[in-house]
């Protein structure tokens, strides 16, 4: 089982709809969770982070964390064509060896005008 | 505020030639530093990470190497490039368990 999993997509939604992106992780000790957006040909940029169970809202973005079910999601309300990008989920996994920050493979989102 | 600089932005190299990519971070001390590679349409592959000067951990065996000669400088090198080394190379920094922040990347093409 991979440490961080995401559907590769593409996920297509019409303009103005809610886009829902999901991420699951395998290590129950994971403590912090991040969402990055990567436009084609560009580097990833951090858009949200969440540490506690529940929802965290920032503008049109809402991150949702459920540690019992080991998933984190990102909702994008009123989706715009400019939201079309690949969204990367990242998890900080506490461990005594190796690198703690693990990225998922990303989900490609396409918002259709 | 912290900034990360990565250069060059694009690079075209022949097979068998050497490589040196440089990354520097400003505005912070003792950051964790990372080199990733991303093939077209694929996810991020962690190549190296460093928690301090001279401390380098390699995640995948390959013909690449990394060095950290100064606290905020991270260098990715190769003595002889292979066709399979083509890709988008990204440098990133973080503090402790805080999120990683990426440079603008270097697009490397091997001919």
């Amino acid at each position: 089982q991979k440490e961080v999993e995401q559907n590769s997509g593409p996920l297509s939604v019409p303009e103005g709809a809610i886009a829902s992106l999901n991420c699951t992780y395998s290590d129950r000790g994971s403590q912090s969770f991040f969402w990055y957006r990567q436009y084609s040909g560009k580097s990833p940029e951090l858009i949200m982070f969440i540490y506690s169970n529940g929802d965290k809202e920032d503008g049109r973005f809402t991150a949702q964390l459920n540690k019992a079910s080991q998933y984190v999601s990102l909702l994008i309300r009123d989706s715009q064509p400019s939201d079309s990008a690949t969204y990367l989920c990242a998890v900080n996994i506490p461990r005594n060896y190796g690198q703690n920050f693990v990225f998922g493979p990303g989900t490609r989102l396409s918002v259709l005008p | 505020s912290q900034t990360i600089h990565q250069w060059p932005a694009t690079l075209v190299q022949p097979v068998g030639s050497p490589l040196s990519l440089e990354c520097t971070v400003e505005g912070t001390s003792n950051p964790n530093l990372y080199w990733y590679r991303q093939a077209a349409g694929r996810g991020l592959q962690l190549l190296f990470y460093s928690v301090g000067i001279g401390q380098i951990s390699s995640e995948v065996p390959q013909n690449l190497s990394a060095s950290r000669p100064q606290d905020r400088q991270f260098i990715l090198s190769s003595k002889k490039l292979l066709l399979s080394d083509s890709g988008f190379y990204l440098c990133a920094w973080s503090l402790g368990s805080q999120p990683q922040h990426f440079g603008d990347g270097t697009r490397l093409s091997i001919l």
Side-chain angles (χ1 to χ4, degrees):
Chain A
Q1 182 183 9
K2 293 183 179 178
E3 293 179 298
V4 181
E5 297 196 63
Q6 300 179 253
N7 290 327
S8 61
L11 172 66
S12 295
V13 300
E15 184 175 355
I18 296 175
S20 178
L21 304 161
N22 298 314
C23 171
T24 58
Y25 58 95
S26 59
D27 193 316
R28 286 193 172 277
S30 301
Q31 297 176 339
S32 46
F33 309 86
F34 310 91
W35 283 100
Y36 288 77
R37 176 177 61 201
Q38 186 177 22
Y39 291 115
S40 180
K42 301 295 185 181
S43 61
E45 57 176 324
L46 179 70
I47 54 173
M48 289 285 291
F49 58 89
I50 186 166
Y51 301 138
S52 304
N53 272 331
D55 296 0
K56 179 181 179 182
E57 188 174 315
D58 184 0
R60 295 187 296 113
F61 298 96
T62 299
Q64 299 176 318
L65 175 61
N66 184 322
K67 289 188 176 181
S69 301
Q70 294 177 244
Y71 82 79
V72 57
S73 61
L74 179 70
L75 302 179
I76 306 175
R77 291 183 300 281
D78 188 24
S79 295
Q80 300 297 308
S82 59
D83 294 324
S84 298
T86 296
Y87 289 81
L88 303 169
C89 171
V91 177
N92 190 289
I93 302 173
R95 48 193 178 194
N96 295 325
Y97 64 93
Q99 207 270 120
N100 296 343
F101 211 84
V102 181
F103 282 90
T107 298
R108 190 155 55 95
L109 172 67
S110 179
V111 180
L112 307 173
Chain B
S1 64
Q2 301 92 350
T3 55
I4 179 169
H5 303 282
Q6 191 180 342
W7 66 94
T10 59
L11 191 59
V12 180
Q13 292 284 94
V15 171
S17 64
L19 173 74
S20 181
L21 302 181
E22 190 164 340
C23 169
T24 59
V25 179
E26 295 178 355
T28 187
S29 296
N30 198 30
N32 298 326
L33 297 173
Y34 310 84
W35 279 112
Y36 290 89
R37 178 170 61 200
Q38 189 174 38
R42 305 297 296 273
L44 297 173
Q45 179 189 28
L46 179 65
L47 302 175
F48 300 96
Y49 69 96
S50 171
V51 298
I53 295 175
Q55 300 179 61
I56 309 294
S57 296
S58 173
E59 289 291 305
V60 291
Q62 58 207 333
N63 68 319
L64 299 173
S65 62
S67 62
R68 185 171 178 172
Q70 299 181 48
D71 181 42
R72 290 168 288 175
Q73 183 185 28
F74 206 22
I75 298 172
L76 182 70
S77 304
S78 175
K79 292 182 179 178
K80 281 189 174 183
L81 286 167
L82 307 172
L83 281 174
S84 57
D85 291 324
S86 293
F88 190 38
Y89 286 81
L90 290 157
C91 181
W93 71 273
S94 71
L95 292 175
S97 60
Q98 298 301 307
Q100 294 184 10
H101 302 276
F102 290 85
D104 290 338
T106 294
R107 192 160 303 282
L108 175 63
S109 298
I110 310 299
L111 303 180

